[in-house]
Amino acid sequence: MSTGDTAAPGMTWGEAWTIARRDLNTRFRGLRLLLVCLFLGTGALAAIGTLTSAIESELANRGQELLGGDLEVELWQRPLSDEERGALGEYGELSAGFRLQAMARKDDQAAPIGLKAVDDAYPLYGALTLKDGRTVGKPADNEAWLDQGAIDRLGVNVGDVISIGTLELSVGGIIATEPDKLSEGFQLGPTVIVGDDTPERAGLIAPGSMYESKTRIAFDNPGRDPQEVRDEIEERFPSTGFDFRTRDRASPGADRFVSRMSEFLTLVGLAALVIAGIGIGGGVTSYLEARRKAIATLKILGATSRDIARIYALQIGAAAMVGSIAGLIVGVAITPLLGAALQGLLPVEGGFVFDPLALLVALAYGLLVALVFAAPPLMRARHFPAMALMRARVAPLAQDKQALLVVGAGLSAIVALALITASQPLLSGMFLLGAAGTLGLLALLGLGIRKAAAAVPRPSSPIVRNALANLHRPGSSTGALVTALGFGLAAFVLLAAIQSALDGNIQSRVPNEAPDYFVLDIPRDGIDRFEQLVNEVEEGSTVRTVPALRGSVLAFGEEGSMQVTAELEELPEGAWALRGERGLTYADEVPPGNVLTDGEWWGANYAGEPLVSIDAEFAEAADLQIGDMLTFGILGVEKTARIANLRRIDWETMGFNYVFVLSPNALADTPHNLAATIDLPEGAPTAPLLQGLVREFPSASVIEVGNVLVQARTILEQVGLATLAAASVAVLAGLAVLLGAIAAARAARTYDTVVMRVLGADRKQVLLMQLIEYALLASALAIVALVLGSVLAWLVVTQMFEFDWLPNWGEVFAVLGIGLLVVFSFALGGSLPLLRAKPAQALRAL
């Protein structure tokens, strides 16, 4: 019998579609798993891409409003000089103000706030609105606009009087929308907006006070390039230590967060889609197995291998397209819900968003994954003669080597698409390489499990023997299941171990090492009264004070050939302390929690050349050695010091940690205040000391560490839940693979079940055999997932985060147990239809 490959020239695509359409069930019976996998994968990617595009579009289009100007100039501990203000005024209208931490008081209630002082020109862009509907600007001299959080913490209403510093202010209104809130960054307390002269009148701004001045510019020429203006200002004032933001990057933190979030979720979604691809392969295999007789009949009637490939490629392609498009529709539809959930946190408006590029990328991913995993079974079926197809159950079809080319091309296209669309191609490439390595390792483990199952002595029980044989016999789906489900369950173990280890570090370290209070802006001449007050309220308290200044690194390197920081096109990797202004201090002794790694400390009463001690990790990143020089810009004055030693800093302690610690003679003459930490005796109440400090030192900011830790723990829990939810996508994809493997093996399993029933086995024995088989597989998966997930979690916690390895194994095993229970339940649920197979009917179908 001819194979049909050399007979007729073959049918056209139109004729192939006619046959494919007639054979294709309108409900896609047999291809539903393919459809569902692509629906979930492309839907997730479409939602992620569309939401990210919407946020990035808002960040780009509302840059002026989010920043409050076209360009912002920031300085610590001083306002602009007249010369600097005049130079900036040449480019357009200015709006200047201050940002600082402060305390607000009402009777016995006190709360840390982020004080925002604005001038008459505020806001240059956008609108500041109150909850009563008014659009406002700078408050009156005796008024303040309060965020709802400040209202709640102080227990006040509009019209009540609160104290900030030495001033009493009336609550003039509650803030509804603050146009530039997103660009203000992190602050330890809700926002309170006051007039620009209020901080000084309240005694909060004085030489040495820790505050930040912000000046925004609205260009008189809208076509000006903010970057060019920035370069001109830097060239004119090279030693001022200005920090700049432009309308193009109004909120670098949000921009960076959105970019990383998008990339992470996209890669997780892509990994889940690739895992689901194994299920797609199983579903296509099952579908073609069910069409075995139809393919054989077409071959007998003269259809060529190319005809077979066209017919079933069209069917699979149609199902893939329907599933992908349905996923795109749902992805776009749920974006408004995600946008509504993120309103207030990120700049995204409600309503539908249509981003053709994001949808095309999601569609391309879905179709490429379908191509990669559907090609092998499809191409395997096209070359064999009719009789080989007829007896495929006892003579399985061989692999088609040409499929490797298709799979290779598809995988290359997926990798290329991921790298082209990534904001960090190197990170994406490493992720894909790691995922490929993990999947490859799991594939090898699956092969090892099959070989081990074949090598163990045969049990005497026929039920156990058959269950064990199902793990290694020809056509077994063990490899696919271990690969996909092992990946998903390992992700659960990974995240459970990381989350519990981080929580363990907090439980073990924070209560012992974190102070009860941080206090900022303590006047130097008031330190004796400060320490006296602390011990009067709570005898036995421990107080540690440090000088607190701000400065930026203007130049660094070998003496005589120092590198000017402003001239760097890009900062060295890890040299983050060169960016903007950083905290500075001075000390006679090595700070607690720091260890010298190289060099000598200068000791008490040092009076020689100004010296500086720097963090050893920063020194390595910036390629600095002992003897090199650093020039700092502090309050508009340049100060140069020689590097005397390197320190290793324990960043896990919640005390004062400074990258730069100078000798006292380098900074003692610079105006500054002090900062302090307070450790109360165990069990001592915190409220009396808080109230006493706020009354005695109204210009200081008192931060209760307990509240900060609660916020940190809440954020940590939210991150843990978010990452666990992201990992569940991979587990759901693994469950789809499980169902696909069951569907692909259903015909063979039905045959085995019928034979066992004919030989006398009852349904209970058949079910017991299934239970034993999946119990053995689940045990193997548990070991694989536990080992792989734990090793990866150890690397993340100890090497990346540099924390102690303190996982809660009870939580880890509980999460793994839940995952295994879900897998086991789905496996048995998919196997139950086999028990309903009627022997006579099944034998007639063979």
Side-chain angles (χ1 to χ4, degrees):
M1 176 66 65
S2 170
T3 64
D5 289 328
T6 59
M11 60 183 71
T12 64
W13 280 104
E15 292 168 338
W17 171 243
T18 300
I19 297 175
R21 180 169 46 81
R22 289 174 180 172
D23 186 48
L24 190 62
N25 188 283
T26 54
R27 292 177 295 174
F28 293 99
R29 186 171 183 177
L31 288 173
R32 291 174 188 167
L33 181 62
L34 165 72
L35 198 146
V36 168
C37 285
L38 289 175
F39 168 77
L40 293 173
T42 55
L45 289 172
I48 293 166
T50 303
L51 179 64
T52 303
S53 175
I55 296 173
E56 290 176 344
S57 176
E58 287 291 313
L59 286 170
N61 295 335
R62 293 174 52 201
Q64 291 174 318
E65 180 180 336
L66 295 174
L67 181 66
D70 294 296
L71 182 69
E72 179 184 80
V73 179
E74 302 175 0
L75 271 175
W76 278 94
Q77 296 185 280
R78 73 175 181 90
L80 294 177
S81 66
D82 291 340
E83 181 186 3
E84 292 164 347
R85 186 177 177 87
L88 267 60
E90 296 174 6
Y91 297 99
E93 184 181 4
L94 302 184
S95 174
F98 305 100
R99 308 291 183 271
L100 63 153
Q101 286 294 134
M103 298 294 295
R105 310 182 304 282
K106 173 63 177 176
D107 301 328
D108 291 336
Q109 296 294 322
I113 60 170
L115 193 65
K116 179 174 179 175
V118 300
D119 63 7
D120 293 321
Y122 176 85
L124 294 175
Y125 295 101
L128 173 66
T129 61
L130 304 179
K131 288 193 173 181
D132 58 14
R134 284 182 291 161
T135 299
V136 296
K138 171 185 172 181
D141 288 345
N142 62 342
E143 276 191 332
W145 315 131
L146 271 65
D147 184 89
Q148 184 65 53
I151 295 287
D152 296 338
R153 292 188 189 187
L154 296 171
V156 296
N157 295 304
V158 175
D160 289 347
V161 175
I162 62 173
S163 297
I164 298 177
T166 57
L167 280 183
E168 290 189 342
L169 301 171
S170 172
V171 179
I174 303 173
I175 300 169
T177 59
E178 183 184 349
D180 55 342
K181 182 176 183 178
L182 192 65
S183 68
E184 296 289 5
F186 178 76
Q187 56 189 28
L188 291 170
T191 300
V192 173
I193 300 178
V194 297
D196 55 340
D197 61 342
T198 299
E200 187 172 358
R201 292 192 296 119
L204 300 177
I205 287 183
S209 297
M210 194 62 66
Y211 66 92
E212 186 178 20
S213 67
K214 291 193 176 187
T215 305
R216 278 88 178 261
I217 312 172
F219 293 156
D220 50 16
N221 177 6
R224 285 184 186 274
D225 183 355
Q227 187 61 45
E228 291 182 1
V229 174
R230 169 181 175 165
D231 294 341
E232 291 173 7
I233 295 173
E234 280 189 319
E235 185 177 353
R236 188 165 176 178
F237 302 100
S239 303
T240 53
F242 285 155
D243 277 343
F244 293 92
R245 287 188 185 176
T246 68
R247 66 189 180 209
D248 301 324
R249 296 203 68 200
S251 180
D255 203 10
R256 192 162 48 248
F257 169 74
V258 171
S259 176
R260 298 295 180 271
M261 177 193 71
S262 167
E263 196 149 352
F264 170 73
L265 292 178
T266 299
L267 291 172
V268 169
L270 180 58
L273 191 58
V274 171
I275 295 171
I278 303 173
I280 292 171
V284 171
T285 299
S286 176
Y287 179 73
L288 293 175
E289 173 65 21
R291 295 292 187 276
R292 179 168 52 90
K293 290 185 178 179
I295 296 174
T297 302
L298 287 170
K299 284 271 192 174
I300 292 170
L301 294 176
T304 65
S305 297
R306 181 178 297 177
D307 296 335
I308 298 298
R310 285 185 175 183
I311 292 169
Y312 288 98
L314 286 170
Q315 289 187 355
I316 294 167
M321 185 63 73
V322 169
S324 298
I325 292 175
L328 297 183
I329 293 172
V330 171
V332 172
I334 66 173
T335 302
L337 301 178
L338 299 174
L342 290 172
Q343 275 186 330
L345 299 176
L346 290 170
V348 57
E349 301 294 336
F352 288 97
V353 178
F354 184 78
D355 183 354
L357 181 59
L359 299 182
L360 283 174
V361 169
L363 180 63
Y365 274 133
L367 295 181
L368 284 171
V369 168
L371 170 68
V372 166
F373 289 95
L378 178 62
M379 298 184 72
R380 188 168 61 242
R382 67 182 184 136
H383 285 306
F384 285 79
M387 293 309 297
L389 287 166
M390 291 292 192
R391 61 174 183 269
R393 186 165 295 157
V394 294
L397 302 179
Q399 297 292 331
D400 187 335
K401 293 183 179 179
Q402 292 185 21
L404 295 177
L405 297 176
V406 178
V407 171
L411 289 175
S412 299
I414 290 173
V415 171
L417 185 60
L419 296 180
I420 291 172
T421 57
S423 59
Q424 283 193 309
L426 180 60
L427 178 64
S428 298
M430 292 176 62
F431 179 92
L432 291 173
L433 189 62
T438 302
L439 289 173
L441 177 61
L442 287 169
L444 290 176
L445 289 171
L447 180 61
I449 290 172
R450 292 186 62 179
K451 289 188 176 297
V456 297
R458 299 180 66 188
S460 58
S461 169
I463 293 177
V464 178
R465 188 164 60 247
N466 276 280
L468 194 62
N470 282 338
L471 292 176
H472 66 82
R473 69 178 184 176
S476 167
S477 56
T478 301
L481 289 176
V482 170
T483 301
L485 294 180
F487 190 95
L489 291 172
F492 258 97
V493 172
L494 169 69
L495 292 166
I498 290 175
Q499 187 174 359
S500 65
L502 293 179
D503 195 56
N505 275 272
I506 290 178
Q507 295 288 353
S508 66
R509 289 176 174 271
V510 170
N512 296 326
E513 299 180 11
D516 293 288
Y517 287 106
F518 280 106
V519 186
L520 307 177
D521 276 329
I522 306 169
R524 281 192 288 176
D525 58 5
I527 189 60
D528 292 337
R529 174 56 188 150
F530 176 84
E531 294 178 345
Q532 179 186 2
L533 174 63
V534 172
N535 283 288
E536 284 177 358
V537 177
E538 289 296 342
E539 187 176 356
S541 298
T542 302
V543 178
R544 179 194 169 201
T545 60
V546 297
L549 302 91
R550 301 284 297 191
S552 58
V553 179
L554 302 180
F556 61 97
E558 189 176 348
E559 186 175 11
S561 58
M562 297 174 67
Q563 169 67 57
V564 177
T565 307
E567 295 177 357
L568 288 172
E569 293 185 5
E570 188 174 352
L571 295 181
E573 172 123 13
W576 51 269
L578 296 175
R579 184 184 298 110
E581 295 202 348
R582 297 292 158 190
L584 303 176
T585 191
Y586 58 85
D588 284 325
E589 300 177 350
V590 179
N594 290 212
V595 177
L596 285 186
T597 60
D598 196 6
E600 300 291 335
W601 199 261
W602 42 79
N605 302 316
Y606 174 77
E609 177 186 23
L611 301 176
V612 61
S613 172
I614 65 175
D615 174 41
E617 291 184 1
F618 167 74
E620 182 178 358
D623 193 24
L624 290 171
Q625 313 291 331
I626 291 178
D628 288 345
M629 310 296 287
L630 286 171
T631 297
F632 299 95
I634 307 171
L635 297 176
V637 178
E638 292 187 14
K639 290 183 177 289
T640 299
R642 188 180 300 277
I643 298 175
N645 57 69
L646 308 180
R647 291 170 292 118
R648 185 177 68 251
I649 300 174
D650 184 2
W651 294 104
E652 296 172 12
T653 62
M654 293 193 65
F656 292 112
N657 290 310
Y658 288 88
V659 174
F660 306 109
V661 179
L662 288 90
S663 56
N665 63 327
L667 296 177
D669 61 344
T670 303
H672 64 277
N673 288 331
L674 303 178
T677 59
I678 303 174
D679 286 292
L680 301 177
E682 187 173 354
T686 58
L689 180 58
L690 174 63
Q691 294 167 9
L693 289 173
V694 171
R695 283 195 303 268
E696 289 277 342
F697 295 91
S699 63
S701 298
V702 185
I703 301 168
E704 192 172 2
V705 176
N707 292 332
V708 176
L709 295 180
V710 169
Q711 295 176 23
R713 190 179 299 278
T714 301
I715 293 172
L716 183 64
E717 290 173 353
Q718 291 173 339
V719 170
L721 288 174
T723 49
L724 200 60
S728 67
V729 177
V731 175
L732 287 175
L735 292 176
V737 174
L738 176 65
L739 295 176
I742 293 172
R746 183 162 293 165
R749 290 296 181 93
T750 302
Y751 178 81
D752 292 345
T753 302
V754 166
V755 170
M756 292 187 68
R757 293 285 304 279
V758 169
L759 294 176
D762 57 25
R763 291 186 177 182
K764 183 192 248 182
Q765 290 173 318
V766 173
L767 180 60
L768 182 59
M769 186 182 71
Q770 300 285 338
L771 282 168
I772 294 172
E773 177 187 347
Y774 285 114
L776 290 171
L777 184 59
S779 300
L781 282 173
I783 296 171
V784 170
L786 185 62
V787 172
L788 182 61
S790 298
V791 169
L792 292 175
W794 178 83
L795 288 171
V796 171
V797 172
T798 63
Q799 304 304 308
M800 184 180 295
F801 293 159
E802 297 183 351
F803 288 164
D804 291 337
W805 177 235
L806 299 172
N808 184 324
W809 290 109
E811 291 183 14
V812 173
F813 281 109
V815 169
L816 178 59
I818 292 172
L820 288 171
L821 182 62
V822 172
V823 168
F824 200 72
S825 301
F826 271 82
L828 286 180
S831 301
L832 287 178
L834 300 178
L835 302 179
R836 296 195 292 267
K838 296 186 177 150
Q841 181 179 353
L843 289 171
R844 283 196 299 269
L846 295 176

